Amino acid sequence: MSDKEQHFNFKDLLDIMTKLRGEGGCPWDREQTHESLRQYMLEESYEVVDAINHKHDDELKEELGDVLLQVVFHAQIAAEQNRFTIQDVIDNICRKMISRHTHIFGDDTADTVAQVLDNWERIKSDEKGFDTHTERMKAIPSILPALMRSYKVQKKAAAVGFDWDDVKDAISKVDEELQEFKDVYLSENYGKIVEELGDLLFAIVNVARFLDIQPELALNEATEKFIKRFEYIENSAKGAGKRLEDMSLKEMDELWEQAKL
């Protein structure tokens, strides 16, 4: 049987990780810590999202495996230190899924997605011992991308009615914050410039939330669009025997407009 035809199970993965981390195992794997692995968990998670965006099953299958490896890796390190095991991880997530789906495993009722989410947040708050809405906001990890974190914070505020009545009001706030940024961006007060730019970005995220658009995804799409149009400019310049560095901004702008067609 070839390597590709051989089938493995979860225990095989655990055994492989134990061997890699054990006496005589891989030098790199043996020296890793929770802290040294942080970057890989982030990278692998983003690569999963990228595979989803590309709608590529083989890529998604591979990247999900990489994330699973990170989970097993962290659990193995903790087990070696007698802190917790992979079984504890599995037990915890199973208990969480059961406890937060009381409409399936309990006596609650939830016929709509909104009701499910309300139940989830209520149960989560009870589990975490949150007494205030501010505590719920502070519990949103600061390590999240800033656009995503601000979106989640705003949703917490909106859940208790601290929100605009209409998206037009949110757009007016963007106009207001843009003007305030224009008032200071040429000043020498760097701190104020940063503050007003932050307020402007926060207001734009609020508009995205109103329209049920994830700003992180919207910005990524805009970045991809920019890259494609820039590629058109560069390829067109090469076709004309020119270097971008030698072209004027006006010439590049003309190609940019062509790329939009």
Side-chain angles (χ1 to χ4, degrees):
M1 181 182 290
S2 69
D3 288 344
K4 288 187 177 181
E5 292 174 335
Q6 186 175 1
H7 294 293
F8 299 94
N9 57 37
F10 189 60
K11 183 180 182 303
D12 292 324
L13 177 58
L14 298 180
D15 290 343
I16 291 169
M17 179 52 63
T18 300
K19 186 174 181 63
L20 290 173
R21 289 278 300 179
E23 199 68 36
C26 172
W28 185 88
D29 289 279
R30 284 171 55 82
E31 74 175 17
Q32 297 311 305
T33 65
H34 291 305
E35 289 72 25
S36 69
L37 290 172
R38 285 178 298 186
Q39 68 186 69
Y40 302 111
M41 179 63 85
L42 282 172
E43 289 171 7
E44 302 299 355
S45 298
Y46 279 114
E47 287 174 6
V48 167
V49 175
D50 194 52
I52 293 172
N53 290 343
H54 289 145
K55 303 184 187 301
H56 197 298
D57 282 350
D58 286 342
E59 185 180 335
L60 178 58
K61 177 175 61 178
E62 178 182 351
E63 301 304 341
L64 286 172
D66 289 342
V67 170
L68 179 59
L69 173 63
Q70 292 302 309
V71 173
V72 169
F73 212 145
H74 282 282
Q76 177 65 27
I77 292 172
E80 293 166 2
Q81 300 168 358
N82 295 316
R83 291 160 52 206
F84 61 83
T85 68
I86 189 65
Q87 186 60 57
D88 296 321
V89 174
I90 295 171
D91 287 344
N92 281 351
I93 189 58
C94 287
R95 291 192 187 100
K96 178 187 291 186
M97 296 304 290
I98 292 170
S99 69
R100 294 193 184 175
H101 288 83
T102 51
H103 58 293
I104 302 297
F105 301 104
D107 299 325
D108 279 347
T109 300
D111 297 322
T112 67
V113 171
Q115 289 175 325
V116 171
L117 294 177
D118 286 343
N119 283 350
W120 181 282
E121 287 300 323
R122 172 179 55 80
I123 296 167
K124 180 180 178 180
S125 293
D126 291 342
E127 289 175 352
K128 300 290 185 181
F130 294 147
D131 293 321
T132 68
H133 296 291
T134 303
E135 286 179 317
R136 296 182 181 92
M137 290 183 182
K138 288 182 177 180
I140 298 171
S142 59
I143 191 65
L144 284 176
L147 292 177
M148 188 181 298
R149 183 176 180 230
S150 60
Y151 185 98
K152 293 173 77 70
V153 166
Q154 290 174 13
K155 284 195 72 173
K156 298 290 186 188
V160 296
F162 190 71
D163 202 2
W164 301 109
D165 292 326
D166 190 273
V167 66
K168 293 179 182 178
D169 299 319
I171 293 174
S172 294
K173 185 64 176 177
V174 171
D175 293 336
E176 176 188 326
E177 296 296 350
L178 177 59
Q179 185 56 54
E180 291 181 7
F181 176 71
K182 288 179 177 179
D183 291 341
V184 301
Y185 83 100
L186 291 178
S187 72
E188 296 181 359
N189 189 339
Y190 181 76
K192 189 64 176 176
I193 296 171
V194 171
E195 177 185 346
E196 295 300 341
L197 181 58
D199 289 345
L200 175 58
L201 291 171
F202 195 83
I204 291 172
V205 170
N206 212 5
V207 172
R209 180 187 58 81
F210 245 103
L211 299 175
D212 199 26
I213 296 171
Q214 282 290 342
E216 197 75 29
L217 298 180
L219 183 56
N220 270 330
E221 288 184 11
T223 302
E224 287 296 327
K225 180 170 64 177
F226 179 90
I227 292 172
K228 288 179 181 178
R229 291 178 179 175
F230 189 87
E231 182 180 33
Y232 178 87
I233 294 174
E234 189 164 30
N235 288 340
S236 298
K238 285 181 180 178
K242 298 180 180 179
R243 298 171 65 249
L244 291 181
E245 294 84 349
D246 299 328
M247 295 177 66
S248 67
L249 179 59
K250 183 175 182 297
E251 289 175 311
M252 287 189 282
D253 273 341
E254 289 175 353
L255 291 175
W256 178 269
E257 290 302 318
Q258 292 178 22
K260 292 165 64 175
L261 298 177

